[in-house]
């Protein structure tokens, strides 16, 4: 049978005609004769021709019955195909048929190439926007985001990553119901008395579903059912951990750790953040622990290597806007020897320093929201999702490890080539050409670029001697004056509009 170019019965008719074509031309000269030719035949020849034609009729009847049976079979086959295609037609997804439940999602993302977490109008590459699109694409959102009671644990800025961001919202659940509601509240679930553990095991694999459509820089590493309808990922978080990674360079890590201890405790951190009084006027926060240590992945023996990565770990209950990056900025100035640790105490004393001095804060990409702690949240991750995530992160680690090794090798090669080009070859060895001692790396910008100010200037000015911004009280006064002026403008515009309407009516 040739390739089907037509569907249904049209194809069957064409197929039969092609099958009959040889029969209609079979010995045409012998079958079709005019009257003169027939009259010239003898009796025996006529009998022979009639006998032949009778045999041909029998053959044609036999082939006709065969064709009829084939036609019926083909007709039945195409009818089945048409029925199957009808069933395959995409059905419209009716969200109203599905129940929903409050779910907490644990999200990991590399924020280097994104414009921060918060979904802002006009920005397509934010973590929230991509997550909302994935939730909508996978039909997990029963209603809109505004109606889903969405909350998040921490708002990370542009370039900042997260290993344990938590988002909480109402999502579609496994159980189908005739009305929208919680999966555990339907009559069917109440009659069956299924345990919470069974409900969790029978629930949708949220991690696998979302990871299938999310970009490779974003992954969901766990989900947890939330029983409390008033739960907020922001306000019910009992602890947050941030980590900041940086190369040692010429930093005095001992002095920096000494200064870290002064930040531990409950303080007013208005001088260690970007004050936005329209969002909050309370700047008291608690730091539980603050340490700077050699990254566990680094060589613990080779302590004089300036390229070794150190990590600052900050435990706290909550943080202000840019607080971690401003704290790290001051610590860097202390580590570089431009400031003493007691500058921390002076900045924390808001009576002594009521106005924040103008100093730089650290770059965004080394900062990571490492962990968020909650009470009574039990995280779930299927075996299938776990294996895929492990493979995914191993691949990422291999890629960046290779890139790190390549860039380090390129740096070493350049240092060797530069020394050979500058000095006589007999005075240079490969080992001594790499500046691994403190005296040789004074002019190497290993970590200074992370700080957003020219701290290495010869005319360095102490932080407490610099120009200051407005105090908290002055900012609040300015905000209240702005609001008052706005209300006055709106009142004047409203009065003008009323007067114009009255004039129009009078005319």
């Amino acid at each position: 049978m040739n390739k089907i170019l037509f569907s249904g019965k049209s194809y069957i008719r064409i197929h039969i005609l092609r099958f009959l074509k040889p029969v209609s031309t079979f010995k045409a000269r012998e079958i079709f004769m005019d009257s003169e030719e027939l009259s010239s035949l003898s009796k025996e020849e006529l009998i022979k021709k009639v006998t032949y034609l009778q045999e041909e009729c029998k053959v044609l009847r036999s082939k006709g019955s065969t064709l009829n049976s084939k036609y019926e079979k083909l007709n039945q086959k195409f009818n089945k195909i048409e029925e199957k295609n009808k069933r395959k037609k995409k059905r419209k997804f009716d969200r109203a048929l599905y129940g929903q439940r409050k779910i907490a999602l644990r999200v990991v993302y590399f924020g280097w190439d994104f414009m921060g977490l918060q979904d802002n109008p006009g920005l397509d590459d934010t973590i929230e926007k991509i997550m909302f699109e994935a939730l909508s694409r996978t039909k997990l959102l029963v209603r809109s985001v505004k109606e889903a009671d969405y909350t998040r644990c921490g708002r990370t800025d542009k370039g900042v990553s997260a290993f344990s961001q938590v988002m909480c919202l109402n999502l579609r659940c496994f159980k189908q119901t005739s009305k929208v509601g919680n999966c555990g509240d339907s009559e069917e679930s109440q009659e069956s008395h299924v345990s919470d553990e069974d409900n969790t095991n029978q629930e949708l694999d949220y991690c696998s579903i979302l990871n299938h459509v999310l970009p490779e820089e974003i992954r969901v590493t766990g989900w947890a059912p939330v029983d409390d309808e008033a739960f907020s990922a922001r306000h019910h978080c009992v602890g947050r951990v941030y980590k900041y990674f940086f190369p040692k360079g010429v930093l005095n890590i001992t002095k920096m750790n000494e200064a870290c201890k002064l930040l531990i405790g409950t303080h007013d951190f208005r001088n260690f953040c970007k004050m936005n009084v329209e969002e909050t006027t309370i700047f008291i926060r608690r730091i539980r622990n603050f340490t700077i240590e050699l990254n566990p992945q680094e060589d613990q023996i080779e302590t004089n290597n300036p390229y070794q990565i150190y990590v600052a770990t900050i435990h706290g209950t909550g943080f202000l806007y840019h607080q971690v990056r401003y704290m790290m900025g001051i610590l860097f100035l202390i580590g570089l020897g431009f400031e003493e640790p007691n500058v921390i105490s002076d900045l924390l004393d808001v009576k002594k320093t009521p106005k924040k001095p103008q100093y730089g804060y650290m770059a965004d990409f080394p900062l990571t929201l490492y962990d968020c702690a909650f009470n009574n949240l039990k995280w779930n991750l299927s075996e299938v999702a776990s294996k895929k995530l492990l493979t995914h992160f191993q691949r990422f680690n291999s890629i960046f490890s290779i890139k790190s090794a390549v860039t380090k090798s390129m740096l070493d090669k350049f240092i060797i080539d530069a020394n050979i080009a500058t000095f006589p070859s007999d005075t240079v060895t490969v080992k001594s050409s790499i500046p691994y001692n403190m005296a040789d790396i004074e002019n190497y910008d290993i970590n200074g670029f992370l700080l957003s100010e020219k701290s290495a200037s010869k005319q360095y000015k102490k932080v407490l001697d610099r120009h200051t911004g407005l105090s908290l009280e002055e900012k609040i006064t300015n905000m209240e004056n702005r609001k008052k002026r706005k209300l006055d403008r709106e009142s004047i515009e409203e009065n003008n509009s009323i007067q114009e309407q009255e004039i129009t009516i009078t005319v």
Side-chain angles (χ1 to χ4, degrees), residues 58 143 148 237 266 329-330 447:
K58 289 180 181 178
R143 299 170 183 168
C237 179
T266 303
I330 290 294
N447 50 27

Side-chain angles (χ1 to χ4, degrees), residues 375-412:
N375 293 326
N376 303 321
L377 276 188
K378 184 179 180 182
W379 296 105
N380 299 279
L381 182 63
S382 68
E383 184 178 355
V384 174
S386 178
K387 289 181 179 179
K388 288 183 178 180
L389 285 169
L390 179 61
T391 303
H392 180 78
F393 291 134
Q394 284 176 335
R395 183 173 65 87
F396 252 76
N397 181 64
S398 297
I399 291 172
F400 286 109
S401 296
I402 293 170
K403 288 183 177 181
S404 176
V406 169
T407 55
K408 181 61 174 62
S409 178
M410 177 180 62
L411 175 63
D412 290 346

